[in-house]
Amino acid sequence: MRRFFYNAPQHIKRKMVAAHLAEDLMLKYKRRSIQVIKGDTVKIMRGSYKGRVGKVRKVDVKRQRIEIEGVTITKVDGKSVPYPVHASNVMITKLNLTDPWRRRKLEEKLSEEEKKVVEKEAEEQIKEMEEEAMKAEMAEEEKEEKKEEKEEEEEGEEEAAKESEEAEKEETVEQPEEAKEVEEVEEKTKEKE
């Protein structure tokens, strides 16, 4: 079995990255397990992070591991990196229904009424994702505006610094002329004495 897994092509390995559904989802969709995809909410059932709940950030088909938001490990140099969890060690508590192929696969064994409920949930999730995307865009735009403002302030400060330096240089240039005039006046007064 292990040799089969390691030598399997990617499209078969993808089907092996599956996890059990929570009890309520099992009853609702009439199936025990399903493939894990990005955006599913899962609960870790085994290991040192047992009991943690989070969204799936990434699915690594080659290694049969998934990365979950909030599940990280600290490296020796102090960096925090995602901790890969095997798909069999998690339980799916909320499905990501934005993928039409996945919805079609889930709806195979369901009645028409249940299919409509699934479609409504999918529409709600799609709206939520669009709202999140809009919020993220707004946040990025605000960051860009702040950066531009900071750059403008820095440029203004630099220009003011340059102007003050130029003014100082002009003053230093003017001072020797005044000093010469003062020296000439002093010499004339000495000669008169």
Side-chain angles (χ1 to χ4, degrees):
M1 182 67 185
R2 208 174 273 174
R3 189 194 319 172
F4 170 73
F5 165 70
Y6 285 108
N7 295 329
Q10 290 289 322
H11 70 284
I12 293 175
K13 280 187 179 182
R14 180 70 190 99
K15 293 177 183 174
M16 294 179 188
V17 184
H20 280 256
L21 293 172
E23 230 176 287
D24 58 332
L25 296 176
M26 242 188 260
L27 296 171
K28 185 176 183 179
Y29 297 111
K30 298 179 180 142
R31 58 188 313 146
R32 180 179 294 275
S33 65
I34 194 166
Q35 294 176 22
V36 180
I37 66 170
K38 181 180 174 180
D40 286 343
T41 304
V42 295
K43 180 180 180 182
I44 300 175
M45 304 301 287
R46 299 278 185 276
S48 57
Y49 293 97
K50 182 178 180 177
R52 290 252 183 117
V53 178
K55 273 191 173 183
V56 177
R57 282 183 5 175
K58 180 182 172 187
V59 179
D60 187 357
V61 175
K62 191 172 184 179
R63 293 180 13 202
Q64 241 189 355
R65 301 282 192 268
I66 58 175
E67 291 178 6
I68 303 166
E69 291 177 359
V71 179
T72 58
I73 192 166
T74 306
K75 290 173 42 172
V76 176
D77 64 354
K79 289 183 181 176
S80 184
V81 293
Y83 181 74
V85 179
H86 196 273
S88 66
N89 293 334
V90 300
M91 178 176 66
I92 300 173
T93 56
K94 185 179 177 188
L95 292 170
N96 178 7
L97 298 173
T98 57
D99 183 12
W101 289 337
R102 189 180 210 191
R103 281 199 308 267
R104 198 172 338 120
K105 188 76 174 169
L106 282 170
E107 292 171 354
E108 285 177 357
K109 297 179 182 178
L110 301 178
S111 66
E112 291 299 320
E113 294 173 2
E114 293 169 334
K115 287 180 183 179
K116 289 178 182 176
V117 172
V118 171
E119 288 297 326
K120 282 183 182 178
E121 285 181 22
E123 289 174 7
E124 290 173 5
Q125 285 185 2
I126 291 170
K127 285 180 184 176
E128 287 176 8
M129 287 182 65
E130 289 174 354
E131 289 174 1
E132 288 176 5
M134 298 246 324
K135 288 179 183 176
E137 288 177 13
M138 295 279 285
E140 287 179 19
E141 289 175 2
E142 289 176 5
K143 286 181 182 177
E144 289 176 7
E145 289 175 2
K146 288 180 181 177
K147 282 183 182 178
E148 290 174 1
E149 289 175 2
K150 285 183 180 178
E151 289 174 0
E152 290 175 2
E153 289 176 6
E154 289 175 1
E155 288 175 5
E157 290 173 2
E158 289 175 5
E159 290 176 5
K162 287 180 182 178
E163 289 176 3
S164 64
E165 287 176 8
E166 290 174 4
E168 287 176 11
K169 287 180 182 177
E170 290 175 4
E171 288 176 10
T172 55
V173 170
E174 291 175 4
Q175 285 176 356
E177 291 176 4
E178 292 174 3
K180 288 178 183 177
E181 291 174 1
V182 170
E183 288 175 9
E184 289 174 5
V185 172
E186 287 177 2
E187 287 176 12
K188 289 179 183 177
T189 53
K190 285 181 183 178
E191 289 173 8
K192 289 179 181 178
E193 292 176 356

